[in-house]
Amino acid sequence: MLGRVFLMDSLPAYDRLYTYQLPVLPAPQTWAAGLRLQIPFGRQNHWREAVVAEILASEPPDQTTAGTAPLTAGAEGPLIKTAGLPLDPYPILNEDQLKLCAQLRIRYACTWGEACRQMIPPGLGGRSTEKKQRVWLWRLQAPDQAAAAMENGEIRYENQARVLEYLLDHAQATSEELFHACQVSLSTLKTLEKKQLLTHTIIKQLPDMPADQAAAATQVSAVPGSWTAGRDTSASACGLQLTEDQQRALEQLRQALDRLPGHPGHNSRTALSEFLLMGITGSGKTEVYLQLAATVLEQGLRVLMLVPEISLTPLMTERFVSRFGSRIAVLHSRLTGSQRLQEWKKIRGGQVAIVVGARSAVFAPLADLGLIILDEEHDSSYQSDHKPRYHARTVARLRARATGALLLLGSATPSFESYERVLSGRSTLLQLQHRPAEAKLPRLEVIDMRKVGKADPAGLFSQPLYQALSACFERGEQAVLFLNRRGFAPLWLCPACGFSVDCPNCSVALTYHQPCQHRPAQLRCHYCGYLQQAPAICPVCGQPMAGWGMGTEQAEVVFQQLFPGQRILRMDQDTTTARGAHKDILEAFRRHEAAALLGTQMIAKGHDFPLVTVAGILSADLLFRENDFRAEERAYQLLTQTAGRAGRGELAGQVFIQAFDVENEVLKAVCGGTYEAFFAMQQAFRRALQYPPYSCMGTALVSHPDEKVARELCQSLEARLRFQWQTWPEARDAQLISLGCSSASLPRLNGRSRWQFTLRCQSERLISQCLNFLARQRLPKDSSLSLSMDPA
Ligand SMILES: [Zn+2]
Ligand SMILES: [Zn+2]
């Protein structure tokens, strides 16, 4: 039998399907597409890991001729090598996933292996079991020495500081524990070991997977007739009264379900299988999801539910778990390797009906998909920033199309791409315009910070916001405060000569962080993690230096001065590195252990706190200053979402938006206008300048430690590409152009200079073709090329 296989690790130039002779397997195992195996590769016949993409000639039913199937015409004849045995007892990819790999590979210009790795858990099979059973246990060589290293500024990187802090608190920890608690890699631990701050011992551990569970994962169980048998999941059974809007939306969705492929009366028009559920914040989108999921489960199909970030949307997960019980798997980035492997095996083995997860869960190995839901579909965390740089919405659409599932996108502030699809008839709009029961939309007020009195000397809280907060706390209610910048002050500056301290690795200023438990005051780079002590005296003119501008740490301090008796919880990247920290903060706030929750955009995401009646946006101006054609769309979404946190229960809400630029169009749209009006305004601007969704864009970003090398490589790649596309007849029709080479918006990052060029065209396929051409170019040593495609 012959099989076509791809390598798991391959250079782009060698990435293709290779034909191998597959050896006869001992019964009952048979070869199938998706099986992982080892193959002898190259002149030296080194053993390499590979996956079967397709079986060319299937074995004849009669066993006597097994293994002697003749070579098919067109195969590479006598040169065909024989592959090794499979590495797992079952295929790691199903047919749908293999097709998806092929699509991702072309679309995002990645290799087969890179696409495949998105779909399997990192710990799958892997190296020898002997190695797997060993655990590295880390401790500090001398706690005093570690504390001193942090005090005297010897520790120059934030991730190293996190490890030391963690071990000061916990005495010892395994590598895996440190990877997750401190978000570091093994190289960080080894660096600290070289500095003689850490030491490790290797201990033996029993295998983490119970044998029976591993066995269960090897067989895919048949789909039962209905997942909901013996369980009433209707709204009335859950004590809920659906609004008219909700009922109407549900009816339309259920009708569409009946017309999907595989159902009687199926209609193949794509608009029927994609819906945009646009509901103002608090209008009950989740209940629509739950009801529709129940219908899909009744038909014996499965549901994929995506949320922007699991740890930030615990409520959605809880509601699914409480409604559908144990037939749910929850996937997110904070699971340990072995937890993730276990969930993956459960899903693959067909034991779960619903997967709730963040971005990467879009690849979950669910069979018989009936419905894919993307909640808060506008959220930027659906865009991957690692290779392949996919967008979960795009991948969900590909999967829905391939499997005949219904795609439901939900948002209060849809992305422009999704709304444009509605206008062009490729998706159907469903609207929820009312909040259920007594809940009313909050009252919005823009505070002109140029004119109004301030409650504190730093000017963070205006008088109206201060008074509203005082009244709110007096009534025993809660408030949410939003400031999109962490740290104490974004600049450490000499007021006399204007000198500020910049990161030596990146082209950004360092942020001032005030002293805390284990460490003195620090300046940190929010891009590469570099840190150093804050100089008290300006090195240029000798005057004292000070922090300038405001961040969440400062807002917390000022809040404590203004409201000495009230507790405030701060939620930003600095307070949430530890596993479970998000959930702890949100739950403490929901239990009313604090009067206020202060945070960066993390707090804007889909939380529901019935006692919150005041939302304060401390500085809207920060949102308007980004240099990107999506800046206004994002600002609109963030402001509307944050405002939506107030008044979700029976209590009326108030929202205060503090800004200097009160004439800003976005601000006007958030306060008075409708989404449609805002869309129309932005549409005109994007059409005129040919920005997506009215064109398709792709970007190639080159980086190298040397500025000159990066620039020249960027220019040379662009020239090679231009030369290449002259041979493509469709390039002119689709108006393919390059917008020219320039240094990136962050010209230096992590000690590397960055240059880029952007391609624009009317055809997505052509942009992919360009990216694929670039991916196959040879690059000089130490340079790297990152390719991305604007999401559709
Ligand atoms: Zn100075
Ligand atoms: Zn930096």
Side-chain angles (χ1 to χ4, degrees), residues 298-363:
E298 269 162 36
Q299 299 171 342
L301 299 173
R302 294 184 170 91
V303 178
L304 180 55
M305 171 79 218
L306 299 175
V307 292
E309 209 178 310
I310 282 274
S311 44
L312 297 181
T313 38
L315 203 74
M316 172 74 74
T317 321
E318 264 164 44
R319 286 183 70 181
F320 265 84
V321 171
S322 69
R323 191 75 61 96
F324 299 107
S326 58
R327 288 154 302 175
I328 289 195
V330 179
L331 292 176
H332 56 89
S333 57
R334 300 260 169 144
L335 291 180
T336 65
S338 56
Q339 283 170 334
R340 196 181 288 224
L341 182 63
Q342 242 171 50
E343 292 297 285
W344 182 85
K345 287 190 172 173
K346 252 166 61 186
I347 302 167
R348 208 209 140 272
Q351 295 159 342
V352 292
I354 302 181
V355 171
V356 181
R359 182 178 67 218
S360 61
V362 74
F363 297 111

Side-chain angles (χ1 to χ4, degrees), residues 493-499 537-545:
L493 183 91
C494 167
C497 74
F499 170 82
I537 299 295
C538 172
V540 179
C541 72
Q543 295 296 308
M545 297 191 70

Side-chain angles (χ1 to χ4, degrees), residues 267-306:
N267 184 327
S268 64
R269 277 201 41 203
T270 48
L272 278 177
S273 56
E274 184 173 334
F275 287 85
L276 175 62
L277 181 63
M278 187 171 161
I280 53 170
T281 50
S283 60
K285 290 188 288 290
T286 308
E287 191 51 40
V288 175
Y289 301 156
L290 289 164
Q291 294 293 324
L292 189 65
T295 309
V296 171
L297 299 193
E298 269 162 36
Q299 299 171 342
L301 299 173
R302 294 184 170 91
V303 178
L304 180 55
M305 171 79 218
L306 299 175

Side-chain angles (χ1 to χ4, degrees), residues 503 505-506 508 525 527-530 750:
C503 175
N505 309 321
C506 314
V508 292
C525 172
Y527 290 88
C528 72
Y530 171 86
N750 254 323

Side-chain angles (χ1 to χ4, degrees), residues 76-96:
E76 289 107 285
L79 287 173
I80 292 182
K81 295 177 191 170
T82 302
L85 293 173
L87 289 167
D88 316 278
Y90 48 86
I92 57 165
L93 299 176
N94 64 29
E95 293 280 344
D96 293 340

Side-chain angles (χ1 to χ4, degrees), residues 15-29:
D15 185 54
R16 62 185 109 109
L17 295 180
Y18 295 93
T19 306
Y20 274 80
Q21 178 78 40
L22 303 176
V24 182
L25 294 180
Q29 218 191 352

